[in-house]
Amino acid sequence: MKPTAFDYLAPGTVGEAVDALAAGAQVLAGGQSLLLEMHLQRVHPNLVADINHIPGLDALTVADGTLTVGALVRHKTFESPGAVPGPLGDLFGRAVANIAHPPIRARGTMVGSLAWAHPASEWCALAVALDAVVELRSTRGTREVPAGDYFLGPFRTAREPDELLTAVRYPLLAPDTGVAFTEHRRTGFSFAQVAVGAALTIRDGVITEARIGLANCADRPLRAHAAERALVGSGPSSPVFARAGETAAEQDAAPVPEPYADVDYRRHVIAVLVARTLREAAPV
Ligand SMILES: Cc1cc2nc3c(=O)[nH]c(=O)nc-3n(C[C@H](O)[C@H](O)[C@H](O)COP(=O)(O)OP(=O)(O)OC[C@H]3O[C@@H](n4cnc5c(N)ncnc54)[C@H](O)[C@@H]3O)c2cc1C
């Protein structure tokens, strides 16, 4: 199928872009989800605002312990070792390898994934787990929304239709944080059936901080708070991680049935993957 007719605009500044959004435009970033939806005629924008020509939106900066990722930073950026310092860069490097395949990673953007809000998105799960904050700009001004309040359901977020997502910010992880990311999917090109990202801090043999992000374990990305509470204060061990996996599957996750996976199977996969991810983040 072909997209229905639309007008195309290439704003040169963020101000021009938000003016276009106020006039009803839809943003084109990497185009790896939007163009597919337009070709399938599931979305019919009358006006497309291509933000790829706006200088500065491709910036990736670290300052005062915070990583800021601009709206045009492509997935593939995070494949480069050292693009992001420390354990946060290591975690992003492990996660990005699971996103689609190289041509899509060359064009698609991290911020576009947060705007699209697919429940199986790796970036969305990590944004929630890592206490990221998204920056939204419109003709009314700029506001920031914590990732934990931003995702409202499948493809639904707190972003208003006239708001441009200009950046996402992450606190850097402490240098002694252990990280891991694992994913289960039906084929190499499939979205995750379940994906888990974890960051663990262990001091004097005790887990002092745990962050677990779950993709495709509910109608939106989740942080596994109950499993994290079960970990903090314990020593790292296989039985502790197995119990945390079961807690995540039973108390944190709310999986929906899929054509190839009923809810019981999905809870089983969540328990196994959470335990496996924790073991990788803190080898025992
Ligand atoms: C075959 C295939 C496999 C894929 N596999 C995965 C996968 O495993 N994991 C995964 O996470 N993704 C996957 N994707 C999606 C891919 O990662 C997209 O790149 C991503 O979802 C959207 O990023 P984009 O920059 O391409 O956004 P676009 O396609 O340009 O836009 C997507 C949506 O977000 C809006 N939008 C984009 N940027 C902004 C912004 N800055 N402000 C406001 N609105 C904005 C657009 O208007 C549109 O509605 C896959 C895609 C394909 C085609």
Side-chain angles (χ1 to χ4, degrees):
M1 281 200 276
K2 294 287 176 205
T4 50
F6 61 92
D7 289 326
Y8 172 89
L9 198 69
T13 65
V14 168
E16 288 174 19
V18 296
D19 284 345
L21 265 66
Q26 188 151 1
V27 173
L28 171 71
Q32 300 305 300
S33 296
L34 179 65
L35 295 182
L36 187 65
E37 294 298 304
M38 288 171 66
H39 277 275
L40 294 172
Q41 296 196 359
R42 291 199 289 230
V43 297
H44 313 91
N46 293 321
L47 178 60
V48 168
D50 178 354
I51 61 171
N52 285 277
H53 308 281
I54 301 178
L57 284 185
D58 59 352
L60 183 73
T61 56
V62 177
D64 301 327
T66 300
L67 170 75
T68 301
V69 181
L72 288 177
V73 176
R74 314 285 167 182
H75 301 312
K76 73 166 185 188
T77 304
F78 303 98
E79 293 173 354
S80 306
V84 174
L88 186 61
D90 188 9
L91 180 55
F92 284 176
R94 291 164 186 249
V96 73
N98 295 282
I99 298 175
H101 44 76
I104 289 173
R105 295 200 290 268
R107 285 300 297 172
T109 63
M110 173 188 273
V111 167
S113 291
L114 302 184
W116 185 235
H118 194 299
S121 158
E122 292 82 359
W123 292 143
C124 296
L126 289 182
V128 172
L130 297 170
D131 287 329
V133 172
V134 299
E135 183 185 274
L136 296 160
R137 192 93 62 93
S138 71
T139 53
R140 297 179 299 287
T142 302
R143 67 184 181 118
E144 295 194 336
V145 180
D149 299 330
Y150 171 77
F151 297 102
L152 303 180
F155 309 103
R156 283 199 308 117
T157 71
R159 186 182 76 83
E160 297 293 338
D162 66 345
E163 286 181 311
L164 179 69
L165 225 169
T166 41
V168 55
R169 285 189 241 291
Y170 301 84
L172 293 180
L173 292 170
D176 59 350
T177 309
V179 296
F181 194 96
T182 59
E183 179 160 320
H184 177 62
R185 54 177 180 245
R186 285 190 61 245
T187 74
F189 291 172
S190 305
F191 277 80
Q193 205 166 58
V194 172
V196 182
L200 283 184
T201 310
I202 300 166
R203 299 211 171 117
D204 298 326
V206 174
I207 299 168
T208 56
E209 188 179 13
R211 294 174 177 275
I212 303 172
L214 303 177
N216 218 9
C217 297
D219 69 346
R220 68 195 74 180
L222 289 182
R223 183 167 178 185
H225 288 290
E228 292 174 1
R229 280 195 299 274
L231 288 168
V232 171
S234 302
S237 71
S238 287
V240 164
F241 293 155
R243 273 199 302 280
E246 283 158 20
T247 303
E250 296 303 325
Q251 296 181 31
D252 292 306
V256 291
E258 283 188 346
Y260 299 98
D262 64 17
V263 166
D264 287 346
Y265 173 73
R266 303 194 67 201
R267 284 197 198 279
H268 171 71
V269 174
I270 293 165
V272 169
L273 274 202
V274 168
R276 185 180 300 165
T277 312
L278 293 169
R279 284 198 306 273
E280 280 184 26
V284 288

